[in-house]
Amino acid sequence: MHKYKWGVIGTGKIAHTFATALAHCENAELCAVASRTDDKAKKIAEEFGFRSFYGSYKDFAENSDAEIVYIATPMASHFEDAWLCLENGRNVLCEKSLTLNTAQTEKLLAFAREKKLFFMEAMWMKCRPVYRKMKEWIASGAIGDIEYIKADFSNFIPFDENDRLFRADCGGGCLLDLGIYPITLTHDLLGVPDEIISSAHMMNGIDMSNSILFRYKSGAFSSMDNGFEIQLRNNAIVSGTKGFITLGNWFHCTEEGALFDREGREVEKFEFKDAINGYEYEIDEVHRCLDEGFTESPLVPHSDTVAVMKLMDQCRSQWGMKFPNE
């Protein structure tokens, strides 16, 4: 069994969560971690057992022996940080949303292909067992043709002008942070919509909440509500001509899904308890792809990453929302 040497760029909350999963994956080696200061890098290195730490991303990219790098910096930094790693021959797993816009995404993915390196957006939802079971049910024809999707992702988060979520210069706003999940779900199941109807509550240059409707020529549609201002249950339903599927609260990381027939009778229930914290599945997918010599994941292909980014660009265009560093 090959043990892959992992590096992590960023030392925030998501980096800690990911490092926790890495530390419990037997074929992952915690090789190096980087921050913008030595103190922060050293602290997380000591906490999780990374062999080395770096006080600059450039020093890390040029001198560490990491084979695959997880990028956990704010959205506005993803493009620059991922480019730096690719430029120095590192495979990359980059947090979602991959970049601020489609142009950046396409340029980054083209560079990864040019360098013949593995690159994947960290859309962990697509790698999780319940999500994959949902795809199996749909592929089997259990719910027939999809007619309706309802998926929400809205958390009440007290406003903090210093938090990256509320800063336009950090790529803030709920669309790129939360809305990407319902949009990814809808695109994965129904493809590119024929019409997008959306609105957003804007403040300080970012969307505090939004409501998005995708319509399709088939008559199918998807309704999605996202935001930082109210708390929703964040569950999802996928309804078809023969039945429907429910994904439990926090649908993007739920451990429970259920299949129902057209009359609402439960046909099958699927429950799967995470072995660590749920991030292990995308780590396993990265390892599988590297073992197979893939440069992109079949579960999270580059084409899907680009398509979803285009849909989010269209929503932002309807709201007149543009990041200062685009």
Side-chain angles (χ1 to χ4, degrees), residues 26 95-96 124 152-153 169 182 189 191 203 210 212 236 300:
E26 60 179 12
E95 257 311 323
K96 55 82 203 156
W124 67 315
D152 302 319
F153 203 162
D169 63 321
L189 301 184
M203 188 172 77
N210 63 60
I212 303 170
V300 192

Side-chain angles (χ1 to χ4, degrees), residues 137-138 140-149 190 218-221 237-245 259-265:
W137 283 333
I138 293 169
S140 74
I143 65 169
D145 296 327
I146 297 173
E147 297 179 308
Y148 170 72
I149 296 172
L190 287 174
S218 66
F221 67 98
I237 182 169
V238 181
S239 185
T241 53
K242 296 181 180 178
F244 61 91
I245 296 166
L259 171 66
F260 297 83
D261 65 18
R262 192 172 179 83
E263 283 69 45
R265 295 179 294 244

Side-chain angles (χ1 to χ4, degrees), residues 246-288:
T246 60
L247 300 177
N249 296 345
W250 309 98
F251 77 90
H252 73 294
C253 61
T254 184
E255 295 179 334
E256 178 182 305
L259 171 66
F260 297 83
D261 65 18
R262 192 172 179 83
E263 283 69 45
R265 295 179 294 244
E266 186 176 292
V267 176
E268 185 178 350
K269 192 170 188 177
F270 181 79
E271 296 178 302
F272 194 99
K273 186 71 176 174
D274 291 337
I276 307 171
N277 61 13
Y279 284 77
E280 61 269 26
Y281 308 113
E282 66 178 348
I283 294 170
D284 289 344
E285 175 62 8
V286 170
H287 290 165
R288 183 183 75 86

Side-chain angles (χ1 to χ4, degrees), residues 143-198:
I143 65 169
D145 296 327
I146 297 173
E147 297 179 308
Y148 170 72
I149 296 172
K150 175 61 175 172
D152 302 319
F153 203 162
S154 181
N155 297 329
F156 174 70
I157 302 175
F159 179 78
D160 178 354
E161 64 180 8
N162 297 313
D163 191 318
R164 64 155 185 100
L165 294 174
F166 302 103
R167 292 175 51 182
D169 63 321
C170 290
C174 64
L175 178 67
L176 267 62
D177 195 73
L178 303 180
I180 187 173
Y181 286 106
I183 291 174
T184 295
L185 171 69
T186 297
H187 174 266
D188 198 24
L189 301 184
L190 287 174
V192 176
D194 297 292
E195 182 183 13
I196 297 176
I197 304 169
S198 71

Side-chain angles (χ1 to χ4, degrees), residues 2-9 18 22 27-33 50 60 64-71 85-86 88-94 117-121 282-283 285-287 289-290 294-295:
H2 179 76
K3 292 195 72 168
Y4 287 99
K5 297 176 181 177
W6 279 84
V8 173
I9 285 183
F18 190 84
L22 266 185
N27 52 344
E29 181 181 334
L30 280 68
C31 171
V33 64
F50 285 93
F60 163 88
S64 79
D65 57 348
E67 296 174 86
I68 171 77
V69 181
Y70 172 68
I71 295 174
C85 290
L86 292 170
N88 285 276
R90 315 293 179 182
N91 298 295
V92 172
L93 173 67
C94 183
L117 291 166
F118 176 80
F119 195 102
M120 174 178 150
E121 181 179 34
E282 66 178 348
I283 294 170
E285 175 62 8
V286 170
H287 290 165
C289 290
L290 292 175
F294 297 161
T295 54

Side-chain angles (χ1 to χ4, degrees), residues 291-307:
D291 286 344
E292 296 291 335
F294 297 161
T295 54
E296 63 180 291
S297 163
L299 294 183
V300 192
H302 293 177
S303 58
D304 283 3
T305 297
V306 172

Side-chain angles (χ1 to χ4, degrees), residues 128-142:
R128 294 180 55 82
V130 174
Y131 189 91
R132 297 179 71 175
K133 171 56 73 171
M134 174 198 69
K135 294 288 296 289
E136 287 179 17
W137 283 333
I138 293 169
S140 74

